[in-house]
Amino acid sequence: MKKIAVSLLCFFYLSNLNFSQVFGFYRTDSITVIDNILAANDTLTFAWSGGLSQSEFSDIDLDLDGILDMFVFDRVGHRFLLLKNLGIPNTISYKGHFTDYNSFPGMQDWVLLEDYDGDGKKDIFHYWNGGISVYKNISTVGTVQFSLTKSQLKSNYVPLTLVLYVSPADIPSIADIDLDGDLDILTYGFSTGCMEFHKNLSMETYGNADSLLFIKQTDNWGLYREGVSLYDIDLTDTCDTGRHTGSTSLAIDMDGDLDKDLIVGGAGGSNMAYLRNGGNTTFAQMDFVDVAFPQNNISTLPVNLSLFPAAYYLDVNNDGKEDLIVGNNATGTSETATSIWRFKNQGTTSNPDFKFQQNDFLQDEMIELGEGAFPALFDYNRDGLTDLAIGNVNYFAANGQIAVLRNMGSASQPVFELINLDMGSVSTQTIKNVTPTFGDMDGDGDVDMIVGETTGYIHYYENTAPVLPNQPAQFVLTTTQYFNIKENSFSAPFIIDLNMDGKMDIVCGGRLGKLNYYENTGSTAAPNFSNVPTISNLGGVSTVDPNFSSSGYSVPWFFMDNGKLELFLGSYSGKIYHYTDIYDGSNNIQPNFTWVSGVVAYYKDGIRSAVTVGDFNNDLYPDMIYGNLGGGVDLLYGQFASIGIEEVLNQPNEFLVYPNPGEDESMIYIRTKEEINFPLDIAIYDLSGRLVKHLKEFNIHQGISVHELSNGLYIFELRYQYTLVSKLKFIKQ
């Protein structure tokens, strides 16, 4: 495998509030990562892709080149991954694709891409509020774009037309079940173990497939009932009893007779069941069950994920035959680092024959640490180069650990080598949510380590290695519950001489989303701390997003920029919080730090974020590594940004709102000729001058719902820091 370099995406600003001269970040995978633990000298193809845990798979032609690329949605943090398919025959040949992320809408729980209108472009079906939301793919060459078609699909339940119900825990089947040319939907009924068939009447009504008109044709498609587990499947036509705790389904033709068979997974088991359809395309009747699928003379290893597997059918090795990919559908209760099973199709698409290949598909090509990733930069082996440590929540059914990636390159061209998954044998301490920080706590000239964890205590690991050049650190647990310092829970410490007296202090984040400062009142060689914070709620910062949770899970990282100390905070919501003005003019710690409302606060790739900042390529701009609960990390390089707010203000007529007019189910967007990446204040007024909607600190890459607005003309006022940027007219019809 070879290193894949990707250029630009996720560009956002970070700097002083005047925005005239700023530096920005762009997401990249240009630093090579080599795995020397699981495979000798294995260069990871998409190391910086953020990890995968509970993953869902679809294919999509992103650039309309005729080659299907891959879309992976992860339930953990509702994040997704785009992979470009190089199309090499008989080869898995994906690379990271960091463009087009902003083209996709916000999605949650489950996402399936299917072409409902027959135009050859995959559309988006995803869970929303007890049903299914649909976005039409309106992409053109060079532009990926989706338009909201249905905020919620409805179906005629006879006699009432209601929201087509799908559980957020389930994965429905969206396929042409009756082979009439349009997409139908199979989904388990509410609190039953039987499969509902919602027939699409588009072809019958309009003669084409471009509509989404459904009727519930039966509440017992296939004439079977799923009981408490997949080992309890009753091939009868009775659906008056049964229990449904969650199921996944994949409708494909397994035996070449054209009708759809089923591969199902259950919330209460580790297996998948194959149900053969002995009926036909108009009348389904399951007549055979294999509860240890797949098993045959070729494949001897059936699916065995700890809980709630889900199957997906797509060609991942460019041989023209769809393969079987099985992911874990249960967040927090099943495998994370080895949660994606790949079965190669050795048969045909119409009569597949699946053989097990691996249990870490894609994950073996990325930095994948199970659940959670809390990165921290330090010099591991005293060679003057920046190395990387990453703590985690845990590996499934194991304890938290700290991985080490040693820089075997240079200061301007780093190459990280994964050399240790359990630095300091932290796993023997039986703790989770391990968050490391490094600094010389005993004045002997090397870096020691303090880790935070779930209980809120912090623990001290002394570096006992000789203080010599090129000497790897040897961390030994010296003190548990260090000076009895304890946060409410989920402690996240950072070692820093905050009061600039030459002694290392501790700043600690935690679940409450605030920071506490613990001053070192001892000496450089013999530190001393009180377990009562010297300053509670340091800087008045908070990472609590009330629209997301009452918890904040703050993870601090202080860094120097142009001689000034600044602060980044990871958070539960996944946003990055940026604060400046740590000191006043006399270098006293400010009671309230200044929050920078740049789009760095809107960058997120999942939840439970943690960041570390340094200059990886010696270009004098800060770079960033971003961890998330999915168990992986993103790499973001800093660079000079030329577009500032002044340029936008000088072009007030360059903004537009589309689609305009918009309809009741439309998601509308604000765009401008010059790409901007800072938040705006958007006030929406009706013709009477009444304020009907107000969006504060709004990232214009997000869509705006107009569902609650009545039909009519509206005025949009766009402001930046109280300065009017533009006025726009919008019609809802």
Side-chain angles (χ1 to χ4, degrees), residues 507-510 512-517 535-544 552 554-558 566-570 577-582 589-596:
V507 173
C508 211
L512 298 181
K514 301 178 181 180
L515 295 181
N516 288 322
Y517 167 53
I535 301 177
S536 297
N537 193 16
L538 176 69
V541 307
S542 176
T543 60
V544 173
S554 53
V555 183
W557 187 271
F558 289 91
E566 303 194 11
L567 169 66
F568 277 166
L569 285 167
Y577 290 77
H578 177 209
Y579 289 90
T580 60
D581 298 326
I582 310 300
I589 300 171
Q590 294 267 44
N592 292 289
F593 303 160
T594 299
W595 177 59
V596 180

Side-chain angles (χ1 to χ4, degrees), residues 647-668:
E647 296 181 40
V648 176
L649 293 176
N650 289 333
Q651 298 176 353
N653 297 319
E654 295 296 326
F655 286 87
L656 59 89
V657 56
Y658 77 94
N660 191 6
E663 299 180 352
D664 185 60
E665 295 177 334
S666 291
M667 184 74 74
I668 64 172

Side-chain angles (χ1 to χ4, degrees), residues 80 99-105 124 143-146 669 671 701:
F80 63 93
T99 58
D100 301 321
Y101 272 73
N102 289 332
S103 300
F104 285 76
I124 298 174
T143 302
V144 176
Q145 190 173 350
F146 297 91
Y669 300 88
R671 289 292 183 265
H701 293 103

Side-chain angles (χ1 to χ4, degrees), residues 270-288:
S270 60
N271 62 309
M272 298 210 78
Y274 161 54
L275 285 71
R276 185 180 66 194
N277 187 353
N280 52 48
T281 59
T282 59
F283 181 78
Q285 183 171 12
M286 302 306 173
D287 64 358
F288 170 77

Side-chain angles (χ1 to χ4, degrees), residues 405-654:
L405 291 91
R406 181 180 62 193
N407 184 356
M408 54 185 292
S410 64
S412 58
Q413 291 184 318
V415 174
F416 287 124
E417 175 191 20
L418 181 61
I419 59 172
N420 194 341
L421 289 175
D422 192 16
M423 182 175 67
S425 300
V426 171
S427 66
T428 62
Q429 199 181 342
T430 65
I431 58 177
K432 297 183 179 181
N433 289 281
V434 176
T435 308
T437 182
F438 301 90
D440 186 1
M441 296 301 298
D442 53 10
D444 64 353
D446 58 20
V447 293
D448 307 297
M449 178 172 71
I450 293 177
V451 300
E453 45 100 354
T454 308
T455 68
Y457 284 108
I458 63 175
H459 311 287
Y460 173 58
Y461 286 75
E462 183 182 353
N463 186 353
T464 61
V467 184
L468 297 171
N470 301 307
Q471 178 66 48
Q474 298 175 14
F475 295 113
V476 176
L477 178 61
T478 303
T479 307
T480 59
Q481 299 180 10
Y482 190 56
F483 287 99
N484 286 317
I485 292 173
K486 185 180 187 298
E487 297 302 308
N488 175 273
S489 56
F490 297 89
S491 52
F494 189 87
I495 298 172
I496 181 175
D497 180 10
L498 191 64
N499 61 356
M500 295 185 286
D501 65 353
K503 298 174 294 185
M504 288 299 179
D505 310 308
I506 297 172
V507 173
C508 211
R511 184 185 65 83
L512 298 181
K514 301 178 181 180
L515 295 181
N516 288 322
Y517 167 53
Y518 300 88
E519 181 185 358
N520 182 354
T521 59
S523 65
T524 301
N528 184 63
F529 294 92
S530 168
N531 63 353
V532 177
T534 309
I535 301 177
S536 297
N537 193 16
L538 176 69
V541 307
S542 176
T543 60
V544 173
D545 182 347
N547 296 319
F548 186 85
S549 171
S550 60
S551 297
Y553 293 88
S554 53
V555 183
W557 187 271
F558 289 91
F559 67 101
M560 297 296 295
D561 176 46
N562 290 324
K564 292 178 56 180
L565 186 67
E566 303 194 11
L567 169 66
F568 277 166
L569 285 167
S571 69
Y572 190 23
S573 69
K575 294 179 182 178
I576 306 165
Y577 290 77
H578 177 209
Y579 289 90
T580 60
D581 298 326
I582 310 300
Y583 303 109
D584 63 17
S586 301
N587 288 330
N588 298 310
I589 300 171
Q590 294 267 44
N592 292 289
F593 303 160
T594 299
W595 177 59
V596 180
S597 58
V599 177
V600 65
Y602 296 91
Y603 179 83
K604 68 188 299 290
D605 187 23
I607 61 174
R608 290 285 306 276
S609 60
V611 300
T612 183
V613 177
D615 184 4
F616 305 142
N617 52 6
N618 270 353
D619 64 355
L620 302 182
Y621 294 108
D623 307 308
M624 181 167 62
I625 293 174
Y626 173 106
N628 76 92
L629 192 60
V633 288
D634 303 344
L635 172 64
L636 300 108
Y637 265 4
Q639 70 172 21
F640 179 75
S642 59
I643 298 174
I645 185 65
E646 289 85 356
E647 296 181 40
V648 176
L649 293 176
N650 289 333
Q651 298 176 353
N653 297 319
E654 295 296 326

Side-chain angles (χ1 to χ4, degrees), residues 9-30:
L9 191 267
C10 291
F11 187 85
F12 55 91
Y13 299 110
L14 163 70
S15 186
N16 302 323
L17 292 178
N18 62 17
F19 280 89
S20 57
Q21 289 189 347
V22 296
F23 60 86
F25 287 109
Y26 63 96
R27 190 172 173 185
T28 179
D29 62 359
S30 59

